[in-house]
Every structure is written in C-alpha cells, then in structure tokens.
Amino acid sequence: MTGKFISIEGPDGAGKTSVLKAILAELRPLLGERLLVTREPGGTGSVVAEAIRDLVLDPNLPTMDAWTEALLYAASRRQHIVETIEPALADDKVVLSDRYVDSSIAYQGGGRELGVEQIAKLNTFATHGLAPQATIYLDLDPKIGLERIQTQRSDEVNRLDVEALAFHQRVTQAYHELIERNPERFWVIDANQPLDQVIEQTSASMHQILHDELG
Ligand code: TYD
C-alpha cells in the first residue's frame, strides 16, 4: 500500500471543524488532486457509509442499543475503507480522515463503557487492521468541551452531544490511554489555546507528517 493515511481526532468542542477548514485551505493548493479529505461516520463518495451515518447520528433514535451503535460505526467504517480509503491509498493519495477507529474506542469503548479492548477487537475485524500512519489529536479539557458545545453551537446537536459530562470525561480518558499506548502515531495539540495557535501548531505538525509529500 502506498499513499499516506492521516486521521484527526478529538473530543466534541475541540474546534476540529474550524482547524480542519484552515488546514485544508493551506494543504489543498500544495497537494491538489493528491489530497483526499473524508470523514466518519460516513465517508466521501460512499453512499452506503453516509446512509449509516444518518442512522447512527439520528437524535430521534434514543432506543438504539450501545452495541448496535458500535456495530453500525464499524460497518460504516468497513464500507468507507473499501470504497474510499483503500482505492485512494492505492492511488498514492494523501487521505485525511476526520475521525477513524480511535473515535469508536473513545466514544463506544470509553464513553459508552463497552470496553476499549472489545471495541478495538471489533474494529480490527472490520478494518482488517488498516490504521493511520499519523493521528492529530486536539486535546481539550472535557468540561470546556461540553461548555463550548452547549453555548456556542448553533448547528444541529447530535445524539452524543447531549450526553453528560461524565461521558465526555470517559471519552477523553480513553483517548489519553490510546495516546500513551501509541506515542509514535499521535501528534497531540493543546486545543485549550486560542484557535489561531491551535491552527498554527496543527499546521506545523502536518508539515512534519507530510515532509516527503510536501518537500
Ligand atoms: P459530527 O457531527 O461529525 O461531529 P464532529 O464534528 O465532532 O466529528 O458527529 C460525529 C459524532 O460521532 C461525534 O460526537 C463522535 C461520534 N462518533 C462515535 O461515537 N464513534 C465513532 O466511531 C465515530 C467515527 C464518531
């Protein structure tokens, strides 16, 4: 497999959307057609994965069982890999995914308390072990994250956003365990800082990760 696979992760409210927007404005002119931007749940160019996204994030489905949810995220990811990620990597592209397996480990494994090992296993099965070479993590105090979601957000609030602080604390803790276990893969950015600094540091990390591709 050629190409480069990078994911971006973080708890809700970390400013991932704004940071990504700024980073993409910088990377697009440099990488052109070589850059493929995608997201999870769902995925660029995958009708099936996007249909599962609509289902799994639907706030009108409060009876959804936590394992059903975990399986749907994994199913969406499987389709995303087959239709989007693998073909792009085979074509030597730089694939930048807004969330990937770490989100399931943090939210379903930690947040929903299904167990990080179990969710990791489920995802190894779904992905056949396909993992990003680098992951940018926007690190944020979960209290601040929740405050930001509740006060600043004008767009639709999804099912997970309305969870209690304890849920968000478990999510962050699971992310931190992942970082401890995979220090060579994670690039941690302090997202408690003002947005322009978060963007600047993410950009600097991205340039190091893409040293060969941009050089
Ligand atoms: P989205 O509206 O895309 O939010 P964000 O900008 O925070 O990525 O919704 C994604 C939500 O789905 C987010 O709250 C995290 C959650 N999620 C999981 O719980 N498990 C997963 O495997 C993935 C990919 C996302």
Side-chain angles (χ1 to χ4, degrees):
M1 183 89 63
T2 53
K4 194 146 219 168
F5 184 17
I6 303 164
S7 61
I8 175 159
E9 295 276 353
D12 298 80
K16 195 161 50 63
T17 307
S18 313
V19 171
L20 253 178
K21 205 172 154 202
I23 295 301
L24 292 180
E26 191 194 340
L27 288 181
R28 277 208 169 100
L30 297 173
L31 290 166
E33 295 280 290
R34 210 176 157 198
L35 179 66
L36 182 105
V37 182
T38 188
R39 63 145 183 214
E40 289 198 350
T44 303
S46 173
V47 174
V48 174
E50 286 289 316
I52 302 172
R53 175 190 175 89
D54 291 342
L55 184 64
V56 82
L57 293 181
D58 188 343
N60 300 313
L61 298 175
T63 55
M64 189 182 288
D65 169 69
W67 277 105
T68 306
E69 180 185 82
L71 287 159
L72 285 173
Y73 277 116
S76 161
R77 182 163 298 128
R78 173 77 209 147
Q79 189 71 25
H80 184 208
I81 289 169
V82 171
E83 272 196 285
T84 309
I85 301 175
E86 272 180 353
L89 291 176
D91 204 18
D92 200 28
K93 293 200 169 162
V94 171
V95 177
L96 179 57
S97 186
D98 180 354
R99 301 194 179 280
Y100 189 65
V101 170
D102 299 322
S103 283
S104 283
I105 294 176
Y107 284 83
Q108 281 66 53
R112 294 259 189 249
E113 298 182 291
L114 299 181
V116 297
E117 297 303 337
Q118 292 278 76
I119 296 297
K121 256 194 225 162
L122 169 65
N123 278 278
T124 302
F125 176 77
T127 63
H128 297 183
L130 179 71
Q133 282 120 313
T135 299
I136 302 260
Y137 179 70
L138 300 184
D139 193 25
L140 184 76
D141 180 334
K143 246 192 181 147
I144 297 176
L146 197 59
E147 272 165 30
R148 285 192 192 165
I149 296 163
Q150 286 164 349
T151 57
Q152 294 174 8
R153 207 157 154 164
S154 55
D155 57 348
E156 111 267 16
V157 171
N158 71 45
R159 216 147 43 74
L160 289 172
D161 287 345
V162 298
E163 293 287 344
L165 177 62
F167 176 90
H168 292 274
Q169 280 167 334
R170 290 196 298 272
V171 168
T172 308
Q173 199 196 321
Y175 268 130
H176 284 168
E177 283 167 18
L178 277 167
I179 293 163
E180 263 169 46
R181 275 193 242 162
N182 304 276
E184 68 301 328
R185 174 164 66 86
F186 276 97
W187 297 68
V188 180
I189 314 285
D190 179 4
N192 300 287
Q193 305 176 94
L195 185 63
D196 55 347
Q197 279 179 42
V198 179
I199 291 170
E200 204 180 296
Q201 288 173 20
T202 306
S203 167
S205 296
M206 206 55 111
H207 277 267
Q208 286 188 56
I209 293 165
L210 292 172
H211 180 263
D212 294 341
E213 288 76 9
L214 295 173

